[in-house]
Amino acid sequence: MTDTPGRLLRLLSLLQMPREWPGSELAERLGVSHRTVRRDIERLRELGYPVEATMGAGGGYRLAAGAAMPPLLLDDDEAVAIAVGLRTTARQPVAGIADASVRALAKLQQVLPTRLRQRVGVLTAATAPTDTALVDPEQLTALAAAAASNERVNFDYHDQDGIPSQRLVEPHRLVMTGRRWYLVGYDNERHDWRTFRADRIDNTKSTGVRVPPRELPVDDAAAFVTSQLHDLAPVYAASAVIQLPAAQAASRLGDAAGTLEPLDEHSCRWTSPGDTVDWLAFRLTSLGCDFTVHEPVELVDHLRRVGARIARATAG
């Protein structure tokens, strides 16, 4: 093998297998002399690959863990396996690695040959569960790449009422919260920062226009998404009968007391301040007593779902 770059790639591919390679076997595999193998090992070390050598009859070369991770050389099947795994993780993110899985997927998809992209798509469709709320990994990777390169994109978007629109956006960051992906970006036509649910984004297309990065109005993109979701969430005033004396209920509710009407010495009617169903449910269940919710129906439905979830968690 006279092509030095090609030989180095072949040597690296062999060393990345979890075993120790005698110099004689490497020389035979590569069709070169022992001296050439030693020179090639030194070249890999100069490039940052920590190749270790052991002496003796059972000695040889192996690739060890280093202080930094050097580039990996993957064959077709390995690249497809990693891409499918990352796409599955991106669609059903695991807490703590969601952002990393999308960034890694964006890098890998950028260099995958077309034939391998098609294999990845087929395998993902065959193995990923169907769920209309799941985001398309192709959209995630396109948005992640645009955010990394400060590039404007066009995409189709439909809001919670299903109303479609076209957006010209400068992606800033992808954030996963509440098992959903959100894009934080600057909307060029609305001249303001916006949060977009990624599963409602479609047909993301690069404009080829790169812009200087904008400064988010808050320090943290995740905090921005949380605040936006809270601001957009509908609020309700609850009406419930609480099995506590009014004075005791007022003490436990504190600032969230709202209006309390005594019914008898053991119960009272609570009319809450306006808030989200999540918070209202939390306030009621944290009272440590029985209660009956009369309205709104959204709170009743929410408590039923929470109760069913708790029942499943404690079954058996």
Side-chain angles (χ1 to χ4, degrees), residues 63-285:
L63 193 63
M69 182 175 174
L72 294 177
L73 183 65
L74 305 172
D75 63 25
D76 284 4
D77 289 340
E78 292 166 341
V80 168
I82 291 174
V84 170
L86 289 171
R87 286 168 68 101
T88 302
T89 303
R91 297 184 72 173
Q92 292 185 311
V94 178
I97 65 169
D99 287 349
S101 67
V102 173
R103 292 198 305 271
L105 181 57
K107 293 176 182 178
L108 185 57
Q109 296 243 120
Q110 186 175 1
V111 297
L112 278 181
T114 301
R115 69 181 191 281
L116 297 187
R117 290 183 186 179
Q118 293 172 346
R119 287 178 59 187
V120 169
V122 170
L123 284 172
T124 304
T127 57
T130 301
D131 189 328
T132 56
L134 293 178
V135 61
D136 183 355
E138 295 289 350
Q139 303 300 320
L140 281 182
T141 54
L143 294 169
S149 59
N150 300 314
E151 188 171 353
R152 286 177 182 159
V153 294
N154 284 309
F155 56 73
D156 298 331
Y157 189 71
H158 63 273
D159 62 18
Q160 60 183 359
D161 297 320
I163 300 174
S165 61
Q166 289 189 330
R167 304 298 182 98
L168 176 63
V169 173
E170 298 169 17
H172 174 76
R173 182 75 182 272
L174 283 164
V175 175
M176 192 276 289
T177 183
R179 304 291 297 176
R180 294 191 189 278
W181 280 105
Y182 295 89
L183 171 68
V184 177
Y186 187 83
D187 191 317
N188 286 187
E189 295 177 348
R190 290 157 180 80
H191 306 291
D192 198 6
W193 290 92
R194 290 287 191 271
T195 296
F196 304 92
R197 255 180 58 175
D199 59 291
R200 295 174 177 168
I201 295 175
D202 199 13
N203 298 323
T204 301
K205 296 178 182 177
S206 170
T207 64
V209 177
R210 295 192 176 185
V211 295
R214 295 181 186 269
E215 185 175 349
L216 196 65
V218 296
D219 293 334
D220 181 61
F224 180 78
V225 171
T226 301
S227 66
Q228 292 288 299
L229 293 179
H230 186 272
D231 291 344
L232 293 173
V235 296
Y236 304 92
S239 175
V241 172
I242 298 173
Q243 298 304 315
L244 283 176
Q248 193 173 352
S251 175
R252 296 188 186 184
L253 287 167
D255 293 340
T259 301
L260 289 166
E261 175 191 351
L263 297 178
D264 55 42
E265 59 181 4
H266 301 296
S267 65
C268 60
R269 183 182 303 278
W270 178 49
T271 302
S272 76
D275 218 314
T276 64
V277 292
D278 288 319
W279 181 248
L280 294 172
F282 169 75
R283 294 306 300 152
L284 285 166
T285 55

